[in-house]
Structure formats: structure tokens, C-alpha cells
């Protein structure tokens, strides 16, 4: 620690997130190894982690006995155990069947169950206790996302000496929707344990300030909420980003270009390739885009030789009911369009329900003429940014939902309302028939913005808003 009087072995910088930034790899000899996950967050925080003996507290992703804290990839990792019942109630239940749909405009009906809330409280307390034991005197703790909204308040009660930041990666709904939550005051008080609460969009930060006035009766001014105990909590937007240089480097490799060409040949060398890459989630508007494309084929506005769709859907939260239903819906839609418009060896929509490495994703982005990003609601949407990062030659078109946080930053994209089928169809055709000069102009402007606003800038602007003192 800075003053030298630190608790020995503790960290001056602690990240608390539902998941650890490492993936478990079981080797053939039966031993367990850990590999750093490819995520942008861990890359962005790497320099801060290294300069401050950083620690990361999170769940290892299984219900097996949690390993003891260990050091890996320059970080101190503290696994938080979850029992099978806690995974069901805290993770699949309250986090992903209550909060996730409520915070995404109730696209799916949220389920409110008291025993899920109890599990959420209990698990949040476990994370807060682990953070309290790991943080050095006066350390800086950064708590992430909707799974851990009670941690800031719990942690402050245990360790008033800490500086606490919180960032919500998903949208925060307006009071009209948030007010339905039976535990709305507890959640707000949980978040207000932080000194700084960060959101993706300015609108979410204003929702938060309005919520603290309306549901807790607190005074606010500009970005500040005044608490009865005299503390002041700030709320601001910090749009997250990606490691642009790293992904662009992969996209520029000759083998990536070869793989991109191979992908186009394998799907029958259509004139144009449309691409969707998403977790299989009902917020992503996957069905909407497939229906719009199918109608274009049926109407004859687009022919199967002219354009082929590739949809990559990452398996996600597969034991949650709404995700099972969605999978059936999407797969039925894909089967229909291929049955009607496909030919032998030439599906209209190539659909993959699988995970892929960064290299394969970069090749897909390089292979796509039109990137189709149509969420019904999305905190940010990093896929849109990844596509732009890979288009270093200023080619390609981005079709982007106005309901994704990314729409605030990319006004040069083909912006759409995914609920408007006709609008979606016309915009798809516009993007498919975009002339190269216009494409270059749009992509160049989007890339200029992205290159200036990468994930390092996101992390450092949040952290410097939280404290000017942290060494990076
Ligand atoms: P969300 O966080 O809701 O899943 P984002 O678009 O913000 O949505 O981020 C998704 C991340 O997951 C991106 O970095 C993307 O590259 C990655 N990803 C999406 N699909 C796959 C896949 N099939 N295999 C591996 N990574 C994927
Ligand atoms: C979104 C959430 C993250 C979450 C990720 C993957 O990006 O904001 O908190 O980790 O989805 O979902 P999962 O449930 O597999 O962690």
C-alpha cells in the first residue's frame, strides 16, 4: 500500500465481478490450469492491476469446490464458491430471470420470487466479505454489473476506509419500469454505497438520479445524489469499448484474410454476406432480423445468390426458461427460411450455435459486407465495435439498432428500429446496395471515433473520475 502500513499481502486495487477473468482448462493428465479469458475488461485493467498488486474476486463458473485464491497472469484471483442451489436462485433466477429482463425493457416477463431475492442478498454478502478481506487500507474497489448491486453498500459497512466504484454494464430502466421491483429501495441503497456509479449511456445516469429522488426521496443536483449521512454519490456515463488495436492486428493477419475468403467460398460465394454474432439472448433481436431477411427473399427484393446470412449464436444461460424458448423460436425461423429459400448445399441462413475464438470471429467480421446488429435493448453492444475495428480498409456497412448504447456513438451506421419490420427491410437493402464511396465515408468516420475511444480510455476515465491518485 502507499503509506507502507498496509495489511500484508492485500491489494490496493480490487475488481469484484460475477465471473473471474480466467477460464478453467482441464489438462489430459487430470490437473487444472487457468487461462486468461479473451474479454476486453481484463485486458483494459491489466496495467492498473500490475501497478497496484491488483486482485479480482469472482465466481469460477462451476459448482465444484472453489479453489483457494491463486495468482495467474499477474493478478491475484479470489474464487467465490456458489452451490448448485445458489446458481439456480442467485444467477439463473434473480440475476437472469428477474433483473435481466426488467432492465431490458421487460422484453421477456420478469419473474419475482422471494427466495431468489434472499439468495441474491446472501451471495452479494459473500462477494462483499471476500472484497473486504482482500482490500488493503484505503484501497480502491471496482464492482461490476447487475449481479452485484448490493456489494457497494455491504462493503462500505464492512470497510468504510475504501473508495468504491460501481459500473452497470447493462441498461438502467426508467422509474416506470424499475418501480415494479419489489426490492427497488434495497437495490438503490446497495448502489449508493459506491462513491461513483457508472453507466453506459447518459440516459441511464439520469434514470438513476431520478430514481434516488422518486423512490428514496433524496436530493440531487447535476450528477450528484445527497445522502442523509452527508455522503455525496456521483452518477455518470462511461461508454465501454474494446481493445481496438489488438483485434485490428488479428484482422490484418494474412491467415485471417485467407480464412475470410474461405468462409465466403464455403457458403457458395454469394455477392454479399450479412452477419449476425450474438449470445443467444432475447434482447438481441435475432428473430426480428431473420424474419426481415426471409421476407426480402420471399418478396424477391433480394435473391439467394445476391445475399447470404451467417448467424452465429453463442450458447448462453441455457437452463433459464426464456432462453430455451428463444432457442426453439430462432431455430424454427432458420429452418423455415432455409426450407423455403435454400438449395442443396446452399442455405439462405447459415446458423451456428457455438463458441469461436477471436481469430475465427475476426475472419467472420472480415467476410461480412453487412454487419446486422438489431438488439431490442442493449447496454452497449461490443459486437458492433468489433466489426468496425476489423474494417481497417474502411469497407463494409454496419446496421445498428437505435436501442443499443453504441448508437449514441455511431450516427454514421444504418440506424434502425428493430420493431419496425418494413424499416428493417428497407435499411437492409440500403446497406446491401451501399455504394463503395459512401461506405468508405461512413466507415472512416466510425473508425476515427472508435480508435480514439478504446477500452483503455474507458477504464482510465472511470478510474480518474473515482480518484486522481491511482497509479496507472
Ligand atoms: P453481451 O455482453 O450481451 O453478450 P456484447 O456484444 O456487448 O454482448 O459482447 C459480446 C462479446 O462476446 C463480444 O466480445 C463477442 O465477440 C463475444 N462473442 C459473441 N459471440 C461469440 C461466440 N460465438 N464465440 C465467442 N465469442 C463470442
Ligand atoms: C453480459 C453481462 C455480463 C455477463 C455476460 C455473459 O455482457 O453484462 O455481466 O457476464 O453478459 O453472460 P453470463 O451470464 O454467461 O456471465
Amino acid at each position: 500500500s502507499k503509506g507502507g502500513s498496509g495489511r500484508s499481502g492485500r491489494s490496493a486495487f480490487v475488481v469484484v465481478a460475477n465471473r473471474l477473468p480466467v477460464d478453467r482448462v482441464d489438462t489430459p493428465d487430470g490437473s487444472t490450469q487457468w487461462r486468461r479469458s479473451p474479454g476486453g475488461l481484463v485486458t483494459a485493467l491489466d496495467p492498473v492491476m500490475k501497478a497496484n498488486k491488483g486482485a479480482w474476486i469472482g465466481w469460477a463458473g462451476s459448482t465444484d469446490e472453489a479453489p483457494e485464491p491463486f495468482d495467474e497472469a499477474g493478478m491475484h484471483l479470489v474464487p467465490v464458491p456458489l452451490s448448485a442451489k445458489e446458481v439456480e436462485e442467485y444467477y439463473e433466477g434473480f440475476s437472469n430471470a428477474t433483473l435481466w429482463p426488467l432492465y431490458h425493457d421487460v422484453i421477456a416477463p420478469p419473474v419475482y420470487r422471494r427466495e431468489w431475492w434472499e439468495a441474491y442478498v446472501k451471495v452479494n454478502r459473500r462477494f462483499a466479505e471476500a472484497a473486504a478481506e482482500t482490500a488493503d487500507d484505503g484501497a480502491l474497489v471496482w464492482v461490476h454489473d447487475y449481479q452485484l448491486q448490493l456489494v457497494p453498500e455491504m462493503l462500505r459497512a464492512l470497510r468504510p476506509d475504501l473508495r468504491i466504484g460501481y459500473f452497470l454494464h447493462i441498461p438502467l430502466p426508467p422509474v416506470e419500469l424499475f418501480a415494479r421491483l419489489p426490492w427497488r429501495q434495497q437495490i438503490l441503497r446497495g448502489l449508493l454505497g459506491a462513491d461513483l456509479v457508472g453507466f453506459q449511456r447518459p440516459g441511464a445516469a439520469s434514470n438513476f438520479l431520478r430514481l434516488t429522488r422518486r423512490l428514496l426521496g433524496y436530493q440531487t443536483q447535476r450528477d450528484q445524489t445527497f445522502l442523509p449521512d452527508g455522503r455525496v454519490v456521483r452518477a455518470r456515463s462511461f461508454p465501454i469499448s474494446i481493445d481496438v488495436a489488438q483485434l485490428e492486428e488479428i484482422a490484418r493477419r494474412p491467415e485471417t484474410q485467407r480464412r475470410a475468403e474461405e468462409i465466403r467460398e464455403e457458403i457458395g460465394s454469394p455477392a454479399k454476406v450479412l452477419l449476425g454474432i450474438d449470445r443467444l439472448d432475447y434482447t438481441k433481436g435475432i428473430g426480428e432480423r431473420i424474419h426481415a431477411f426471409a421476407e426480402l427473399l420471399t418478396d424477391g427484393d433480394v435473391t439467394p445468390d445476391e445475399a447470404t446470412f451467417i448467424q452465429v449464436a453463442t450458447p448462453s444461460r441455457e437452463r433459464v426458461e426464456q432462453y430455451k424458448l428463444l432457442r426453439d423460436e430462432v431455430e424454427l425461423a432458420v429452418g423455415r427460411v432455409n426450407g423455403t429459400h435454400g438449395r442443396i448445399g446452399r442455405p439462405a441462413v447459415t446458423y451456428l450455435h457455438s463458441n469461436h475464438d477471436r481469430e475465427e470471429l475476426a475472419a467472420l467480421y472480415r467476410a461480412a459486407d453487412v454487419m446486422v446488429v438489431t438488439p431490442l435493448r442493449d447496454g452497449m453492444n461490443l459486437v458492433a465495435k468489433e466489426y468496425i475495428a476489423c474494417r481497417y480498409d474502411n469497407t463494409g456497412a454496419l446496421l445498428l439498432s437505435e436501442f443499443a448504447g453504441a448508437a449514441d456513438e455511431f450516427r454514421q451506421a444504418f440506424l434502425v428500429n428493430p420493431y419496425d419490420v418494413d424499416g428493417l427491410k428497407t435499411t437492409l437493402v440500403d446497406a446491401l446496395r451501399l455504394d463503395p464511396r459512401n461506405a468508405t465515408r461512413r466507415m472512416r468516420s466510425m473508425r476515427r471515433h472508435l480508435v480514439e475511444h478504446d477500452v483503455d480510455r474507458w477504464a482510465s476515465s472511470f478510474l480518474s473520475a473515482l480518484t486522481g491518485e491511482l497509479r496507472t
Side-chain angles (χ1 to χ4, degrees):
S1 87
K2 259 191 182 165
S5 64
R7 309 175 190 218
S8 71
R10 299 204 181 198
S11 299
F13 180 63
V14 180
V15 171
V16 191
N18 181 51
R19 285 185 188 274
L20 284 174
V22 290
D23 298 315
R24 192 189 199 119
V25 207
D26 293 313
T27 58
D29 66 10
S31 70
T32 298
Q33 287 181 2
W34 299 88
R35 204 183 18 209
R36 200 162 115 169
S37 2
L41 188 58
V42 47
T43 319
L45 297 177
D46 204 45
V48 198
M49 281 285 188
K50 293 216 165 89
N52 297 279
K53 266 182 34 184
W56 192 303
I57 293 167
W59 174 45
S62 87
T63 54
D64 303 343
E65 198 182 328
E68 286 302 306
F70 59 102
D71 293 329
E72 185 68 54
M75 294 174 284
H76 183 59
L77 300 171
V78 182
V80 175
L82 292 183
S83 70
K85 191 143 188 278
E86 285 163 350
V87 170
E88 198 185 312
E89 298 187 333
Y90 149 78
Y91 170 72
E92 293 163 344
F94 200 77
S95 296
N96 290 309
T98 310
L99 295 172
W100 181 269
L102 178 68
Y103 284 28
H104 288 87
D105 287 359
V106 298
I107 297 164
V111 178
Y112 304 103
R113 303 229 343 224
R114 285 163 287 182
E115 57 282 23
W116 291 357
W117 162 253
E118 277 154 29
Y120 186 81
V121 176
K122 190 166 145 211
V123 171
N124 270 249
R125 182 157 295 122
R126 190 173 306 149
F127 276 84
E129 281 163 1
E133 277 162 31
T134 307
D136 202 346
D137 292 331
L140 197 145
V141 181
W142 193 358
V143 183
H144 291 265
D145 228 354
Y146 62 103
Q147 303 93 344
L148 300 175
Q149 292 172 101
L150 305 177
V151 169
E153 182 190 28
M154 291 170 168
L155 182 57
R156 182 170 298 280
L158 293 166
R159 291 287 305 276
D161 60 302
L162 302 176
R163 194 172 306 208
I164 305 173
Y166 175 90
F167 186 79
L168 184 69
H169 291 252
I170 70 172
L172 184 74
V175 65
E176 288 75 8
L177 291 178
F178 189 87
R180 296 183 190 184
L181 190 64
W183 308 280
R184 57 201 189 184
Q185 292 190 330
Q186 290 96 312
I187 296 277
L188 288 177
R189 287 205 195 91
L191 294 172
L192 287 165
D195 298 293
L196 174 66
V197 185
F199 299 93
Q200 303 280 22
R201 303 181 91 162
S206 349
N207 284 347
F208 180 75
L209 289 153
R210 184 153 172 259
L211 281 164
T212 64
R213 287 196 302 274
R214 291 280 301 272
L215 300 179
L216 296 176
Y218 293 164
Q219 304 274 331
T220 68
Q221 191 180 50
R222 291 192 307 273
D223 64 352
Q224 300 177 319
T225 297
F226 301 96
L227 270 56
D229 67 2
R231 279 200 318 121
V232 178
V233 178
R234 278 176 309 146
R236 277 181 45 194
S237 65
F238 300 87
I240 199 170
S241 192
I242 58 167
D243 188 336
V244 183
Q246 189 194 63
L247 190 58
E248 181 172 332
E249 185 274 313
I250 299 175
R252 282 178 181 273
R253 291 177 194 164
E255 60 266 36
T256 305
Q257 199 51 40
R258 278 199 296 278
R259 175 66 189 141
E261 283 157 23
E262 186 178 85
I263 290 169
R264 292 187 73 112
E265 282 159 25
E266 281 170 355
I267 58 171
S269 304
K272 298 279 169 142
V273 174
L274 299 146
L275 174 67
I277 296 184
D278 317 74
R279 256 182 327 98
L280 189 47
D281 195 293
Y282 50 81
T283 59
K284 302 291 183 182
I286 301 170
E288 282 74 3
R289 77 180 74 132
I290 289 170
H291 286 301
F293 182 60
E295 276 198 20
L296 288 172
L297 294 173
T298 303
D299 302 345
D301 292 333
V302 171
T303 67
D305 292 326
E306 189 182 355
T308 290
F309 211 112
I310 301 177
Q311 176 63 54
V312 181
T314 321
S316 180
R317 308 174 190 166
E318 290 187 276
R319 300 197 320 172
V320 179
E321 187 60 21
Q322 292 290 341
Y323 289 77
K324 293 184 191 159
L325 295 172
L326 173 81
R327 183 169 177 196
D328 288 346
E329 258 168 48
V330 167
E331 295 183 356
L332 180 73
V334 170
R336 282 238 168 104
V337 59
N338 283 335
T340 312
H341 301 286
R343 285 162 296 153
I344 287 173
R346 295 283 176 270
V349 177
T350 297
Y351 168 77
L352 301 172
H353 183 242
S354 43
N355 278 290
H356 301 274
D357 57 28
R358 308 301 297 160
E359 287 73 18
E360 180 72 357
L361 292 182
L364 283 160
Y365 290 130
R366 290 298 307 160
D369 300 289
V370 181
M371 187 73 212
V372 189
V373 182
T374 56
L376 305 173
R377 182 56 73 194
D378 207 332
M380 173 51 65
N381 197 284
L382 294 179
V383 163
K385 294 190 171 183
E386 290 171 356
Y387 181 68
I388 298 170
C390 289
R391 308 309 297 193
Y392 54 81
D393 51 359
N394 295 319
T395 58
L398 172 64
L399 188 146
L400 179 61
S401 164
E402 52 190 76
F403 304 126
D408 285 347
E409 294 173 79
F410 302 111
R411 309 311 292 175
Q412 297 292 320
F414 286 86
L415 294 177
V416 285
N417 168 5
Y419 290 97
D420 171 10
V421 184
D422 288 331
L424 191 48
K425 285 167 68 185
T426 355
T427 314
L428 276 170
V429 172
D430 289 347
L432 275 171
R433 309 225 167 117
L434 178 64
D435 72 85
R437 279 185 50 213
N438 197 344
T440 303
R441 188 179 53 75
R442 288 171 180 253
M443 189 55 77
R444 183 176 287 139
S445 125
M446 294 194 289
R447 285 183 52 80
R448 205 173 283 143
H449 174 87
L450 182 65
V451 167
E452 287 290 305
H453 296 83
D454 70 353
V455 72
D456 284 340
R457 176 160 167 178
W458 169 77
S460 50
S461 61
F462 182 91
L463 292 173
S464 56
L466 185 55
T467 166
E469 293 161 38
L470 192 79
R471 288 161 291 169
T472 55

